[in-house]
Amino acid sequence: MRIAQLLIRHEVRVLVSLALWVARRTHGARGGQAFGYARGQGAMMFGFAFVCVVETVAMSVLLRDWPTVHAVFLFLDVYSVVFVVGLHASSVVRPHVLDPVGGELRIRRYVHVDLRVPLERIASVRRELRMTHEPADGELNVEVGSQTTVTIELTGPVTHFTFFGRRRAVRVVRFHADDADDLVRALGRARV
């Protein structure tokens, strides 16, 4: 039952992100400086959406003689298109947020990752382009298009909650930002 609740909450967040995207609003960026990360994946996400549209048309043609099956597949295919566009929308409306007044950096990806890092726990920050990421204990890689551009090393662990709510202590966080140089400079200013 808990997994069903998590999945429903995820779907609702994706649909809310789609509505925020249409309204040209952001989520959770009030009072801080927003740094986007969606630019590098936009073409890929719209490519997925295009493939879903082509599949919808093909299935409609193939199943036109079976109206009940056609209706079921049409619903699923249209929802797939909405879901893919909603995922992209969630990455646009949920940017990384640096809040010097609140003393935290919020690292996000879609509606899956929302890690709050206190600024006083940041030992070092650097711009580092990485294209491969091996899973390791104590490290969190928040990749976009299989790459990260910023690496943060922490003085102490912060707690990251996985999609299904498991706790992980992380001391190194790698993530992607469209304007990584600006983010690194802003973090340097905020930490001083």
Side-chain angles (χ1 to χ4, degrees):
M1 191 54 120
R2 183 173 166 269
I3 291 176
Q5 289 174 338
L6 286 170
L7 292 174
I8 290 170
R9 187 177 83 189
H10 177 265
E11 300 294 310
V12 168
R13 284 180 171 177
V14 168
L15 294 175
V16 166
S17 296
L18 189 58
L20 287 171
W21 191 43
V22 169
R24 295 186 178 269
R25 304 255 189 252
T26 58
H27 175 272
R30 237 179 266 130
Q33 185 177 359
F35 293 92
Y37 55 90
R39 204 177 331 159
Q41 70 182 10
M44 181 182 67
M45 294 303 284
F46 284 109
F48 284 149
F50 177 75
V51 168
C52 289
V53 168
V54 169
E55 181 207 8
T56 301
V57 172
M59 292 304 286
S60 291
V61 170
L62 291 172
L63 297 173
R64 67 180 175 268
D65 294 334
W66 297 289
T68 304
V69 176
H70 176 263
V72 169
F73 273 89
L74 182 62
F75 172 79
L76 292 173
D77 286 340
V78 169
Y79 188 75
S80 296
V81 172
V82 170
F83 184 76
V84 169
V85 174
L87 273 180
H88 178 67
S90 69
S91 67
V92 172
V93 303
R94 295 172 183 271
H96 305 307
V97 179
L98 174 59
D99 184 5
V101 175
E104 73 177 7
L105 171 65
R106 203 168 171 185
I107 300 169
R108 308 199 287 183
R109 173 138 195 251
Y110 301 134
V111 293
H112 308 118
V113 177
D114 192 352
L115 178 68
R116 294 172 187 257
V117 178
L119 295 179
E120 68 267 5
R121 287 228 187 133
I122 297 176
S124 68
V125 59
R126 66 185 174 274
R127 178 153 185 355
E128 178 184 38
L129 177 63
R130 281 188 157 210
M131 303 298 276
T132 59
H133 301 88
E134 296 295 324
D137 260 358
E139 294 184 2
L140 175 64
N141 297 308
V142 186
E143 308 161 19
V144 173
S146 297
Q147 71 178 2
T148 58
T149 55
V150 178
T151 300
I152 294 178
E153 294 181 16
L154 306 173
T155 59
V158 294
T159 303
H160 164 64
F161 292 95
T162 65
F163 182 78
F164 290 113
R166 291 192 186 105
R167 291 175 174 258
R168 281 189 61 213
V170 295
R171 296 181 69 98
V172 175
V173 182
R174 293 182 189 92
F175 61 98
H176 176 75
D178 291 337
D179 298 319
D181 292 326
D182 290 342
L183 176 59
V184 169
R185 279 193 295 273
L187 260 174
R189 287 190 303 270
R191 289 176 49 222
V192 172

